[in-house]
Amino acid sequence: QITLKESGPTLVKPTQTLTLTCTFSGFSLSTSGVGVGWIRQPPGKALEWLALIYWDDDKRYSPSLKSRLTITKDTSKNQVVLTMTNMDPVDTATYYCAHSILGGYYYGMDVWGQGTTVTVSS
Amino acid sequence: EIVLTQSPGTLSLSPGERATLSCRASQSVSSSYLAWYQQKPGQAPRLLIYGASSRATGIPDRFSGSGSGTDFTLTISRLEPEDFAVYYCQQYGSSTGYTFGQGTKLEIK
């Protein structure tokens, strides 16, 4: 059974850096095709994909946020970490991590964490 | 950057009716890389369809996906009360990543 859980601060101040951790179980991030992604959702708004890291350490970022994002993995700890710099109140959102498989086919983000709410305010 | 435009923004239907949701891409998308999700209030999204037309594990067969190129459709053949939610399409592109549409809210009429 695959599970993922997000953790991190619930409140950050403007200009600070946000660090979120996704801790997962039931799969290995060293298995070919496997990836873990981050997605966020501001209150009452649509989903926004942020970043994804693959089993081979290939990384993809949202073009509009690329300069502020860094995604890394620790395979031994079964964790993926997302950092977002220069936080602003518009970054207030629920942040999700999700499991994904990509090969010659995209199998979607099939298992999601419960999400963690981050508020940006002074 | 590929933009996904979903229509309508809100769809009002009654249980038992057929729902047709549209997702249009600003440029051609491989069918292999198109997915649909359902999200209910306070919950994480749930994968419904991948590869434009393949149902994810445990998804009822009243949900079906179709389309190619720039036009994709999610159809719910006979709406159940639990189907009223927000639906998102998503595409993967090697240079643009995993873009989501803005969502269609399916509400009870």
Side-chain angles (χ1 to χ4, degrees):
Chain A
Q1 178 193 5
I2 291 174
T3 65
L4 304 98
K5 187 172 184 179
E6 307 86 353
S7 60
T10 58
L11 179 66
V12 297
K13 297 184 187 302
T15 75
Q16 286 188 334
T17 294
L18 172 68
T19 299
L20 295 174
T21 300
C22 176
T23 302
F24 57 85
S25 64
F27 68 96
S28 172
L29 199 39
S30 59
T31 300
S32 179
V34 174
V36 172
W38 285 95
I39 306 94
R40 72 178 179 180
Q41 186 171 39
K45 296 189 177 181
L47 301 169
E48 179 182 20
W49 171 72
L50 301 176
L52 191 138
I53 189 165
Y54 297 98
W55 81 103
D56 60 357
D57 210 39
D58 188 14
K59 301 163 188 177
R60 300 298 165 98
Y61 296 101
S62 165
S64 62
L65 292 167
K66 184 175 183 177
S67 63
R68 298 175 54 204
L69 297 173
T70 302
I71 189 169
T72 60
K73 64 181 176 72
D74 186 329
T75 304
S76 64
K77 291 184 179 178
N78 282 353
Q79 291 181 333
V80 171
V81 175
L82 180 76
T83 61
M84 180 180 292
T85 61
N86 194 24
M87 293 293 285
D88 183 271
V90 300
D91 296 314
T92 294
T94 297
Y95 288 75
Y96 297 98
C97 62
H99 169 271
S100 180
I101 294 178
L102 178 69
Y105 210 74
Y106 172 51
Y107 293 91
M109 294 179 174
D110 60 342
V111 184
W112 293 60
Q114 64 190 23
T116 186
T117 300
V118 178
T119 300
V120 184
S121 175
S122 55
Chain B
E1 180 179 352
I2 296 178
V3 176
L4 298 179
T5 302
Q6 294 187 239
S7 61
T10 301
L11 183 58
S12 300
L13 294 170
S14 301
E17 291 192 295
R18 180 185 186 90
T20 303
L21 287 68
S22 173
C23 176
R24 178 162 291 179
S26 58
Q27 54 187 281
S28 185
V29 171
S30 169
S31 297
S32 299
Y33 298 148
L34 195 287
W36 288 92
Y37 300 83
Q38 175 193 68
Q39 187 180 32
K40 297 179 180 179
Q43 297 184 16
R46 177 174 72 145
L47 176 67
L48 298 175
I49 300 287
Y50 64 91
S53 60
S54 297
R55 276 187 299 276
T57 302
I59 302 303
D61 60 7
R62 64 180 182 273
F63 290 91
S64 64
S66 63
S68 63
T70 60
D71 291 298
F72 298 87
T73 301
L74 175 69
T75 301
I76 311 171
S77 58
R78 294 171 309 278
L79 286 166
E80 297 287 342
E82 62 268 27
D83 298 336
F84 292 92
V86 179
Y87 292 83
Y88 294 95
C89 58
Q90 181 199 38
Q91 70 86 33
Y92 165 74
S94 60
S95 61
T96 58
Y98 296 82
T99 314
F100 285 96
Q102 85 281 13
T104 289
K105 182 180 181 180
L106 178 57
E107 65 176 22
I108 299 177
K109 186 174 182 180

